[in-house]
Amino acid sequence: MKANVYSEDQYITLKMADNGDVIVGMPYIQEWIEAVRSVPGRKWNVAEKQWEIPGTKSAILFLCHVLKDIPVKLGDAQLGEMFPELLQLQTAEEKIALQRLREGMKLKGYSTKTQKAYMGHAERYLRMLPVPLKDAELKHTRAYLLNLHEESRSSSYVNQAVSALRFWHVTVLGRSDPNLRIRPKRQKKLPVVLSTIEVSKILKSVQHMKHRTLLALIYSSGIRIGEAVRLTKQDIDPERRTIHIRQGKGGKDRFTVLSTAAYDLLQNYMKNQPIIKYLFPGGKGLDHHITERSVQQVFERAIRKAGISKPATVHTLRHSFATHLLENGTDLRYIQELLGHASSKTTEIYTHVSIKDIRRIQSPLDRMIGFEEDE
């Protein structure tokens, strides 16, 4: 980047137009105008007095080539999601700040998932920022967070955005921002839970042995999808009937229960599946585990085939495991240990979805005799 050639308030802004084209906003600098005019299919919108280029992959790649030395801002997050190549047009200052964020998270020992999520929030924030990063003020952060609410993002998503920006601005860049102390109230949503009959239907609908075994392990042990795909043969202890979860969420090890039925499935599966490292290898080879997205797609097909209309995901199997244990009388403290929850408050959510005690309550309607005849 040759950011030092231009003043700090001079840059090109790219925005999506309603018709799918890309609007190119810029100050009158002849060099920049010539660069945009070189893009095939570009046009001058007389009514709006602005340059527009086709919103196609080829046009965007060409634009990236001609603007490689010019400071660029993305006017909306949609552009960056549609054309990741545009992220290469970040200013030198932004690239350095993002690199410091990466390094800060690595030094803190954040998981790969958290690092990816935080980087995504930081990059989206930069794309929406109307000024250079060093000139960003409290109002800009506030506007960004308010925009997330207007997009109807969940409270957990907004909270994660706050955590990401707070870590970046305050911990890494050494700034102070009171807006990052305000968090939206968490939505109190109860998890979706499948009945034992529904779980059985799902497992029976999966014919592929590897996929059925994997889903059975997730339900029978209550493990997360990311923990399941990374299981190795050494993690299974048939003598103690346990599964060793290594470096789960929060970087914690734990043990959970190994179901006899699930272990029988696993044994039959391993008779025909060579195991080098991971129990469930993926398409990239025996030394790579199956991807989480592949498992999600397997589950999506399974619930459709089983005729289940609940908005269930692979994680629903974990919720169902905990709820069924609770309904069968398992102490909440043991369930907390099996799930790897740091706080008992997290596990207590299952007391609200358990129907063990609800089923004992008789509805007043059922006490009415012959109410239909009175009509």
Side-chain angles (χ1 to χ4, degrees):
M1 292 290 173
K2 297 179 181 177
N4 59 322
V5 175
Y6 313 105
S7 64
E8 296 172 352
D9 60 344
Q10 289 181 321
Y11 48 82
I12 284 179
T13 302
L14 304 178
K15 292 183 180 180
M16 285 296 295
D18 293 336
N19 62 0
D21 287 344
V22 175
I23 301 169
V24 184
M26 58 183 170
Y28 188 88
I29 298 177
Q30 191 61 38
E31 178 188 356
W32 295 6
I33 294 173
E34 292 302 321
V36 174
R37 290 182 66 182
S38 68
V39 178
R42 57 66 184 136
K43 62 184 177 183
W44 173 254
N45 188 322
V46 178
E48 300 294 335
K49 294 185 176 7
Q50 62 191 19
W51 285 102
E52 297 176 5
I53 68 168
T56 61
K57 189 82 168 178
S58 58
I60 293 298
L61 289 174
F62 196 96
L63 185 71
C64 289
H65 173 70
V66 298
L67 299 185
K68 63 180 183 299
D69 294 327
I70 299 173
V72 173
K73 280 288 180 186
L74 301 191
D76 53 63
Q78 183 185 6
L79 260 178
E81 292 169 358
M82 292 177 61
F83 304 107
E85 297 81 9
L86 290 171
L87 297 179
Q88 300 172 8
L89 299 175
Q90 292 162 339
T91 66
E93 178 201 6
E94 291 172 346
K95 289 183 177 180
I96 292 172
L98 289 174
Q99 182 58 33
R100 289 182 62 186
L101 173 59
R102 290 190 191 92
E103 293 171 353
M105 289 189 292
K106 288 181 180 178
L107 289 173
K108 283 285 187 179
Y110 285 6
S111 69
T112 303
K113 270 190 172 181
T114 300
Q115 290 184 40
K116 183 178 180 180
Y118 277 26
M119 288 301 299
H121 285 298
E123 289 171 350
R124 281 188 289 273
Y125 172 77
L126 286 177
R127 292 198 291 268
M128 296 295 290
L129 200 59
V131 297
L133 178 60
K134 72 181 188 62
D135 296 330
E137 300 176 3
L138 303 184
K139 63 180 180 180
H140 298 123
T141 308
R142 184 179 182 82
Y144 174 74
L145 296 176
L146 286 173
N147 184 66
L148 294 182
H149 285 288
E150 290 170 1
E151 291 178 353
S152 300
R153 298 284 190 172
S154 66
S155 61
S156 59
Y157 182 93
V158 178
N159 271 313
Q160 188 183 62
V162 171
S163 296
L165 294 180
R166 178 170 176 76
F167 179 77
W168 189 29
H169 282 233
V170 180
T171 306
V172 177
L173 301 179
R175 298 177 176 179
S176 177
D177 194 337
N179 284 313
L180 298 179
R181 299 179 187 274
I182 304 173
R183 293 180 179 273
K185 187 176 181 181
R186 285 190 177 274
Q187 298 164 322
K188 295 182 178 179
K189 292 185 178 181
L190 295 178
V192 175
V193 173
L194 298 164
S195 69
T196 53
I197 294 176
E198 288 172 327
V199 173
S200 178
K201 285 182 178 179
I202 290 172
L203 295 179
K204 288 178 180 178
S205 72
V206 181
Q207 300 302 315
H208 195 286
M209 181 59 72
K210 178 172 75 174
H211 296 158
R212 180 191 286 189
T213 303
L214 178 53
L215 293 180
L217 273 177
I218 291 175
Y219 167 69
S220 65
S221 306
I223 56 182
R224 300 178 179 90
I225 182 174
E227 297 167 344
V229 299
R230 291 171 176 80
L231 285 175
T232 66
K233 194 173 183 179
Q234 291 71 36
D235 297 328
I236 307 298
D237 189 337
E239 297 298 323
R240 299 176 63 196
R241 282 290 187 265
T242 59
I243 299 177
H244 189 181
I245 304 300
R246 304 175 192 273
Q247 296 298 288
K249 188 174 182 179
K252 296 176 294 185
D253 282 13
R254 75 177 191 281
F255 288 99
T256 188
V257 62
L258 172 62
S259 154
T260 300
Y263 181 63
D264 290 342
L265 275 176
L266 186 61
Q267 281 187 307
N268 291 332
Y269 157 69
M270 289 193 296
K271 287 178 182 177
N272 301 307
Q273 172 65 56
I275 304 298
I276 293 180
K277 183 176 181 181
Y278 297 106
L279 284 178
F280 304 103
K284 292 184 178 180
L286 296 177
D287 57 343
H288 291 80
H289 62 73
I290 188 173
T291 65
E292 295 180 26
R293 182 58 192 145
S294 294
V295 181
Q296 290 164 350
Q297 290 173 336
V298 167
F299 185 81
E300 289 164 6
R301 290 194 295 267
I303 59 173
R304 286 197 299 269
K305 189 174 180 180
I308 295 171
S309 59
K310 288 180 179 178
T313 65
V314 178
H315 202 70
T316 303
L317 294 176
R318 175 174 160 89
H319 292 319
S320 303
F321 162 82
T323 305
H324 296 163
L325 283 183
L326 186 63
E327 291 177 344
N328 288 328
T330 305
D331 191 283
L332 202 63
R333 290 172 297 176
Y334 294 131
I335 298 175
Q336 178 186 347
E337 290 295 325
L338 294 175
L339 295 177
H341 287 162
S343 170
S344 60
K345 289 184 178 180
T346 308
T347 318
E348 286 171 3
I349 188 68
Y350 299 110
T351 63
H352 299 291
V353 293
S354 171
I355 60 173
K356 177 182 66 174
D357 295 323
I358 293 176
R359 285 181 296 196
R360 297 175 185 172
I361 302 172
Q362 185 181 32
S363 168
L365 180 63
D366 293 334
R367 298 194 191 102
M368 297 181 188
I369 300 175
F371 77 93
E372 291 175 322
E373 287 80 0
D374 293 337
E375 292 292 325

